[in-house]
């Protein structure tokens, strides 16, 4: 992406800025606006309500109105708060979720950075979020915020282990860390997706299917915990900790936590899509290829990638409005006693199968 | 702890908070402890309940509930108003089950004055009391599930509650603050449409309850969160004076409707659901079972309800009909006397208790023969039930405290009076 822009503008600084700002304005902000609206609509229809209806068609502009309100709000910093950390925390959290988008390939033509270690980079950079949350909770000088931050740190750090093990399994299977290559491997039709054993045929493909499903389930559960969604939303458990780590935040700083949450939701869904569901590949060929219109292919790819991602985001919302929340000890119990051992066993079995591929 | 001393200047509260040192997880407990203030403004304390928690990590070492943030002095206010005037104030006690309070108060006054309402009125009172019980349990179940994190449940239960309130709207002309009962009867008759609405509601209730069970009880997380949490022992429950569903969840089969029958509950066939575990989960189950029993009672009441008057014909103590007031001299005088000077029950005292959704709601009224009660004491179940909170929260986690409050289902309007 950067190279293309550099060729167009002939200026490195401009190319950098545009390459960095593009995912934000083209994707994250519109997606967050859409996801907030979708969440309200999903919850409303699950609860026999209508949800936002007044602003725009079926309330589509509601989130924009909310953001406008949040921008105008007074920026309150508690007197006892640690000001520097308090101001830094939302930026760090947002940066963590935003930076993850740099390595996500939306199509074969649009990748922020086609790094060879894409998936490794995403794991690393999304850990920023923990630091930000901990910082916000500590700097707020509020007991509820501190409790929420502590819970969050414990939770995210624990759940990174099973998700990292599952990602390791996939890396072992494919032999690459590049997310673009992940997508390229799972090309053509949906039976080449890793959830259905990956490309190729023969016995190993069918042997892999159950372990891929287990791997996907573990990854999905642990990413739910990493983005603090129900049933793992204990860091911001509304009925227990008021609002958890962002209790003291208001106005745009709160909105940054909010945007980061929705950005993160898509980021983890994107990782799942890339690893198991063919990345940006269409499940059944491209219109562009069949009608011989080459420029249509990347657009279709963006569509499929976003579509798959939004499906997983929708499932996250569905779960949120259905499931109760776990208790802290039960949360750790699920992670350390179920997810980590299972993902280890999965790693070993997939490793053995890979040997015979 | 030093900092806590500065913040919590209330000596009595702090003393009781620090008194208990027998639950410690770490060797050197004070190194790890934190005092946290939950409420009166907190999303899960059901109104304005304030809890001061002493935490060791996430484990609760001690809880001190502080009540009184919604104290409006209803017992004292009763001494300055006539028996009729006090009826609307009973709505504001347990505001989730207004009709039950109306019925309980009016029955207490009738017992004091020796008035008996017509049979139809009594049946209508049973119907509205049971409808109100379902409505209150719907709030209890919904908010309880919401406290545990299942937010959708509250909307589903409120949908059912809405239908009950529509029935109340039809019967009493008000959805929420009904003030429907009168001394010697009820304000207006229950017409055919109200009966049809009730029947329709009952038919729709059963599938809705099945749906709710599917949503929550088919869910491992919900069961795991509540099983074995906040166990209340039978002896403790009796000693602390716990009543209602919370008592029956511990295994004591005590229901005022059966133990000291009032209205026509002795003619109705219904079971008293009991559980023996006494934990938060059994307190959830028991409310669901009671809703089903109430539906059964309602069906029988609708079937057995006789025709006739809904106000007793007792001119000096019961308000006459409006059309009689406007056409007859005698009735006009009686109406004037009752409204202005009250019903003057005989000197004496009376205690009457009724089974409310939250437990045994009792009214102790002392009369000195004048139009206003000399003393009116309310035995409010929520207040008694809340007393066990420090006992059963000890050693649990912060999340459990929320679940336990939800399972005890206090209504602060009643606890603080």
């Amino acid at each position: 992406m950067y190279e293309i822009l550099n060729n167009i503008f002939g200026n490195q600084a401009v190319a950098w800025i545009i390459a960095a700002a593009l995912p934000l304005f083209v994707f994250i902000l519109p997606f967050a606006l859409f996801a907030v609206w979708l969440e309200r609509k999903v919850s409303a229809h699950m609860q026999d309500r209508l949800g936002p209806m007044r602003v725009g068609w079926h309330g589509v502009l509601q989130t924009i109105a909310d953001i406008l309100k949040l921008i105008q709000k007074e920026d309150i910093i508690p007197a006892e708060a640690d000001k520097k950390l308090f101001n830094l925390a939302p930026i760090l959290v947002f940066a963590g979720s935003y930076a993850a988008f740099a390595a996500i390939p939306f199509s074969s033509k649009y990748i922020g950075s086609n790094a060879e270690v894409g998936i490794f980079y995403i794991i690393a950079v999304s850990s920023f979020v923990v630091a930000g949350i901990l910082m916000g909770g500590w700097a707020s000088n509020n007991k509820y915020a501190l409790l929420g931050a502590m819970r969050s740190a414990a939770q995210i750090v624990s759940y990174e282990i099973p998700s990292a093990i599952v990602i390791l399994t996939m890396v072992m299977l494919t032999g690459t860390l590049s997310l673009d290559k992940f997508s390229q491997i799972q090309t053509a039709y949906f039976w080449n997706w890793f959830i259905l054993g990956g490309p190729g045929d023969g016995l190993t493909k069918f042997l892999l299917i159950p372990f891929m499903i287990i791997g996907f389930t573990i990854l999905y559960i642990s990413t739910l915990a990493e983005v603090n969604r129900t049933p793992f939303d204990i860091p911001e458990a509304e009925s227990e900790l008021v609002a958890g780590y962002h209790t003291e935040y208001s106005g745009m700083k709160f909105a940054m936590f909010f945007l980061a949450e929705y950005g993160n939701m898509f980021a983890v869904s994107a990782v799942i899509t890339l690893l198991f569901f063919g990345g940006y590949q269409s499940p059944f060929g491209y219109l562009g290829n069949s009608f011989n219109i080459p420029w249509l292919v990347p657009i279709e790819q963006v569509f499929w990638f976003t579509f798959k991602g939004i499906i997983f985001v929708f499932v996250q919302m569905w779960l949120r409005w259905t499931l109760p929340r776990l208790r802290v000890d039960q949360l750790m119990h699920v992670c350390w006693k179920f997810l980590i051992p299972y993902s280890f066993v999965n790693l070993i079995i997939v490793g053995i199968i890979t040997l015979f591929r | 702890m030093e900092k806590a001393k500065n913040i919590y200047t209330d000596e009595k509260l702090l003393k009781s908070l620090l008194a208990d040192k027998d639950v410690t997880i770490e060797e050197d407990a004070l190194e790890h402890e934190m005092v946290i203030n939950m409420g009166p403004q907190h999303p899960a304390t059901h109104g304005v309940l304030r809890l001061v928690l002493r935490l060791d990590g996430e484990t609760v070492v001690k809880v001190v509930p502080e009540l009184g943030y919604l104290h409006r002095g209803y017992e004292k206010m009763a001494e300055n108003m006539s028996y009729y005037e006090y009826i609307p104030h009973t709505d504001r006690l347990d505001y989730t089950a207004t009709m039950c309070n109306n019925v309980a108060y009016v029955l207490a006054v009738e017992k004091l004055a020796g008035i008996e309402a017509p049979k139809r009125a009594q049946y209508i009172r049973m119907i509205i009391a049971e409808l109100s019980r379902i409505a209150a349990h719907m709030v209890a179940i919904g908010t309880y599930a919401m406290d545990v994190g299942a937010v959708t449940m509250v909307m589903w239960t409120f949908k059912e509650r809405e239908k009950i309130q529509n029935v109340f709207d039809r019967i009493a002309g008000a959805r929420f603050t009904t003030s429907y009962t009168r001394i010697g009867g009820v304000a207006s008759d229950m017409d055919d449409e109200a009966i049809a609405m009730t029947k329709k509601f009952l038919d729709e209730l059963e599938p809705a309850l099945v749906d709710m069970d599917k949503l929550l009880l088919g869910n491992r997380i919900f069961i795991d969160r509540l099983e074995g949490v906040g166990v209340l022992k039978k002896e403790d429950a009796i000693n602390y004076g716990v009543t209602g569903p919370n008592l029956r969840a511990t295994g004591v089969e005590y229901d005022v409707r059966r133990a000291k029958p009032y209205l026509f509950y002795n003619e109705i066939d219904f079971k008293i659901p009991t559980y023996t575990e006494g934990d938060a989960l059994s307190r959830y189950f028991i409310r669901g079972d009671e809703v089903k029993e109430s539906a059964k009672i309602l069906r029988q009441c609708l079937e057995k309800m006789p025709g006739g008057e809904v106000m007793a014909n007792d001119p000096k103590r019961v308000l006459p009909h409006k059309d009689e007031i406007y056409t007859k001299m005698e009735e006009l005088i009686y109406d004037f006397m009752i409204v202005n000077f009250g019903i003057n029950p005989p000197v004496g005292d009376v205690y009457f208790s009724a089974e409310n959704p939250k437990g045994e709601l009792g009214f102790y009224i002392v009369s000195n023969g004048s139009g206003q009660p000399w003393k009116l004491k309310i035995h409010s179940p929520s207040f008694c039930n809340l007393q066990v909170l420090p006992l059963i929260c000890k050693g649990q986690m912060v999340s459990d405290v929320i679940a336990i409050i939800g399972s005890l289902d206090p209504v602060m309007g009643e606890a603080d009076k």
Side-chain angles (χ1 to χ4, degrees):
Chain A
M1 197 67 206
Y2 162 67
E3 286 82 12
I4 301 168
L5 288 168
N6 200 8
N7 288 340
I8 296 170
F9 294 102
N11 184 329
Q12 282 197 349
V14 174
W16 272 118
I17 290 166
I18 294 176
L22 211 58
L24 177 70
F25 290 110
V26 172
F27 192 75
I28 305 178
L29 277 180
F31 172 77
L33 293 180
F34 170 73
V36 172
W37 173 79
L38 184 70
E39 170 115 57
R40 296 178 72 167
K41 279 293 184 190
V42 168
S43 69
H45 286 283
M46 285 181 73
Q47 297 171 345
D48 278 339
R49 299 184 284 120
L50 287 172
M53 287 297 280
R54 300 293 174 94
V55 194
W57 180 82
H58 279 251
V60 277
L61 302 177
Q62 181 69 48
T63 343
I64 293 169
D66 285 347
I67 293 284
L68 281 177
K69 182 199 77 178
L70 283 171
I71 290 172
Q72 287 170 35
K73 275 197 146 185
E74 188 192 347
D75 182 30
I76 302 167
I77 301 172
E80 292 280 306
D82 185 334
K83 257 181 207 146
K84 278 179 205 151
L85 292 184
F86 189 81
N87 289 333
L88 195 59
I91 298 168
L92 204 57
V93 170
F94 186 69
S97 85
Y98 171 38
F101 280 81
I104 291 174
F106 283 90
S107 81
S108 54
K109 292 282 179 295
Y110 179 76
I111 311 165
S113 154
N114 193 4
E116 278 302 314
V117 288
I119 187 76
F120 183 64
Y121 164 79
I122 287 183
I123 297 177
V125 89
S126 57
S127 300
F128 259 143
V129 177
V130 196
I133 288 174
L134 209 52
M135 215 181 256
W138 176 260
S140 300
N141 202 5
N142 175 318
K143 284 169 182 172
Y144 286 107
L146 185 61
L147 266 179
M150 289 301 175
R151 283 178 173 194
S152 182
Q155 171 181 330
I156 297 179
V157 169
S158 308
Y159 275 84
E160 267 180 1
I161 300 169
S163 66
I165 292 173
V166 174
I167 289 170
L168 184 63
T169 317
M170 299 311 293
V171 168
M172 197 172 65
L173 189 64
T174 53
T176 177
L177 282 166
S178 159
L179 284 168
D180 190 32
K181 291 224 178 78
F182 262 107
S183 290
Q184 283 168 12
I185 291 168
Q186 309 175 57
T187 185
Y189 293 95
F190 62 86
W191 53 80
N192 284 343
W193 293 358
F194 277 116
I195 191 80
L196 296 172
D201 39 20
L203 187 62
T204 50
K205 178 181 163 76
F206 294 100
L207 274 179
L208 272 176
I209 293 175
F211 301 105
M212 286 294 116
I213 291 171
I214 293 170
F216 160 67
T217 317
I218 292 170
L219 185 62
Y220 197 78
I221 294 173
S222 38
T223 51
L224 271 183
E226 278 181 54
V227 295
N228 299 333
R229 298 289 293 183
T230 312
F232 307 107
D233 67 337
I234 57 161
E236 43 194 297
E238 193 200 339
S239 54
E240 292 156 27
L241 299 183
V242 191
Y245 57 86
H246 57 69
T247 305
E248 294 288 350
Y249 283 91
S250 62
M252 206 51 211
K253 281 186 199 140
F254 164 74
M256 283 182 91
F257 278 116
F258 206 56
L259 285 177
E261 184 185 332
Y262 283 91
N264 250 338
M265 276 165 71
F266 188 82
V268 295
S269 303
V271 170
I272 288 168
T273 311
L274 286 164
L275 292 187
F276 290 102
F277 290 87
Y280 52 69
Q281 303 287 0
S282 148
F284 26 73
Y286 294 102
L287 285 175
N289 283 345
S290 17
F291 295 109
N292 211 2
I293 319 168
W295 55 265
L296 198 62
V297 176
I299 294 170
E300 277 181 66
Q301 284 172 339
V302 171
F303 165 74
W304 282 114
F305 188 74
T306 331
F307 179 72
K308 287 177 206 169
I310 284 174
I311 285 183
F312 287 112
V313 171
F314 171 73
V315 176
Q316 286 176 347
M317 290 170 182
W318 181 7
L319 289 176
R320 172 169 179 184
W321 298 102
T322 313
L323 295 180
R325 155 184 335 117
L326 285 165
R327 206 167 52 209
V328 189
D329 55 330
Q330 289 167 345
L331 182 92
M332 292 298 159
H333 183 88
V334 171
C335 180
W336 292 96
K337 290 197 174 164
F338 293 101
L339 296 183
I340 291 180
Y342 288 162
S343 58
F344 254 121
V345 172
N346 204 37
L347 173 74
I348 291 163
I349 295 174
V350 173
I352 292 168
I353 296 172
T354 317
L355 273 182
F356 297 105
R357 253 162 90 92
Chain B
M1 281 300 123
E2 277 306 312
K3 210 175 173 194
K5 266 177 201 153
N6 297 333
I7 297 168
Y8 301 100
T9 44
D10 189 339
E11 292 238 330
K12 204 172 144 195
L13 207 147
L14 189 68
K15 212 171 153 190
S16 84
L17 199 65
L18 297 178
D20 199 9
K21 288 202 168 138
D22 57 336
V23 181
T24 43
I25 310 299
E26 299 286 334
E27 287 283 292
D28 187 8
L30 285 173
E31 289 284 319
H32 305 269
E33 284 183 11
M34 173 158 90
V35 174
I36 195 165
N37 190 41
M38 191 180 267
Q41 279 127 11
H42 186 276
T45 51
H46 290 217
V48 285
L49 173 63
R50 180 188 177 201
L51 299 175
V52 184
L53 306 173
R54 185 173 152 211
L55 298 179
D56 182 348
E58 286 252 354
T59 314
V60 175
V61 178
K62 175 83 180 172
V63 182
V64 182
E66 218 195 7
L67 283 77
Y69 284 92
L70 203 60
H71 180 63
R72 292 149 298 174
Y74 271 146
E75 287 171 353
K76 186 70 189 168
M77 275 163 79
E79 292 166 24
N80 292 310
M81 45 180 69
S82 75
Y83 290 95
Y84 269 109
E85 276 176 312
Y86 193 64
I87 292 173
H89 289 290
T90 59
D91 287 342
R92 277 85 176 163
L93 287 175
D94 174 0
Y95 40 75
T96 59
T98 52
M99 288 288 202
C100 283
N101 304 335
N102 293 162
V103 170
Y105 169 71
V106 161
L107 283 171
V109 176
E110 283 176 8
K111 191 175 171 188
L112 178 71
I115 305 167
E116 199 181 344
K119 203 169 178 187
R120 184 175 173 84
Q122 306 248 31
Y123 266 95
I124 291 175
R125 284 175 184 181
M126 272 160 79
I127 289 168
I128 56 169
E130 293 308 318
L131 276 175
S132 205
R133 189 184 315 280
I134 295 176
H137 280 341
M138 283 297 148
V139 178
I141 292 171
T143 52
Y144 185 14
M146 190 167 70
D147 289 347
V148 182
V151 191
T152 299
M153 189 69 173
V154 74
M155 296 291 168
W156 289 19
T157 53
F158 265 69
K159 197 174 75 180
E160 298 307 307
R161 184 180 155 85
E162 195 65 22
K163 293 173 194 163
I164 299 173
Q165 287 183 322
N166 286 339
V167 176
F168 287 170
D169 190 21
R170 180 76 202 169
I171 302 175
R175 289 156 47 80
F176 195 60
T177 48
T178 47
S179 313
Y180 175 57
T181 54
R182 296 288 180 272
I183 296 160
V186 291
S188 55
D189 198 2
M190 190 175 176
D191 60 2
D192 290 338
E193 195 185 328
I195 291 171
M197 279 164 88
T198 314
K199 278 181 178 156
K200 187 160 169 275
F201 160 72
L202 286 176
D203 291 338
E204 288 166 359
L205 179 67
E206 273 161 38
L209 285 176
V210 172
D211 275 353
M212 288 172 200
D213 275 359
K214 270 189 205 158
L215 180 65
L216 279 186
L217 300 180
N219 194 328
R220 179 78 190 278
I221 299 172
F222 186 74
I223 308 281
D224 279 358
R225 270 297 301 274
L226 302 177
E227 205 171 13
V229 164
V231 177
L232 178 60
K233 288 195 199 77
K234 201 172 175 175
E235 295 75 33
D236 289 332
I238 295 169
N239 289 343
Y240 276 82
V242 174
T243 48
N246 299 331
L247 176 69
R248 291 191 285 277
T250 64
V252 185
E253 200 180 346
Y254 175 73
D255 187 319
V256 185
R257 288 175 293 177
R258 183 63 55 79
K260 294 179 257 175
Y262 55 99
L263 296 170
F264 288 106
Y265 278 115
N266 48 1
E267 291 180 8
I268 304 282
D269 166 46
F270 65 101
K271 282 205 294 283
I272 302 168
T274 49
Y275 284 82
T276 48
E277 291 86 353
D279 59 356
L281 186 62
S282 64
R283 288 196 281 271
Y284 169 80
F285 279 133
I286 204 143
R287 294 204 167 85
D289 287 0
E290 280 192 10
V291 169
K292 284 170 200 153
E293 287 305 313
S294 289
K296 220 165 89 183
I297 297 172
L298 274 171
R299 283 188 194 283
Q300 292 176 47
C301 287
L302 288 172
E303 211 171 274
K304 287 185 177 175
M305 188 162 73
E309 281 292 305
V310 291
M311 284 290 270
N313 188 14
D314 193 347
K316 282 197 171 175
R317 291 182 299 182
V318 175
L319 283 172
H321 270 294
K322 268 280 180 281
D323 45 343
E324 283 176 347
I325 296 167
Y326 292 135
T327 48
K328 293 176 185 164
M329 195 62 210
E330 287 284 296
E331 268 74 11
L332 180 62
I333 293 167
Y334 290 141
D335 187 67
F336 181 79
M337 293 302 282
I338 288 173
V339 169
N340 284 289
F341 300 104
I343 58 171
N344 302 333
V347 180
D349 61 334
V350 68
Y351 177 76
F352 176 82
S353 64
E355 183 69 22
N356 251 39
K358 308 280 180 282
E360 182 179 340
L361 176 71
F363 285 94
Y364 178 68
I365 307 174
V366 182
S367 163
N368 59 357
S370 72
Q372 296 156 346
W374 184 77
K375 169 75 192 166
L376 189 143
K377 172 87 184 79
I378 303 164
H379 171 274
S380 56
S382 293
F383 181 77
C384 298
N385 293 350
L386 270 176
Q387 304 309 312
V388 295
L389 201 61
L391 186 77
I392 60 180
C393 282
K394 201 188 278 182
Q396 307 279 354
M397 305 191 86
V398 185
S399 321
D400 292 336
V401 174
I402 304 296
I404 290 168
I405 297 170
S407 75
L408 287 177
D409 184 29
V411 167
M412 296 318 287
E414 188 180 61
D416 291 345
K417 287 172 283 201

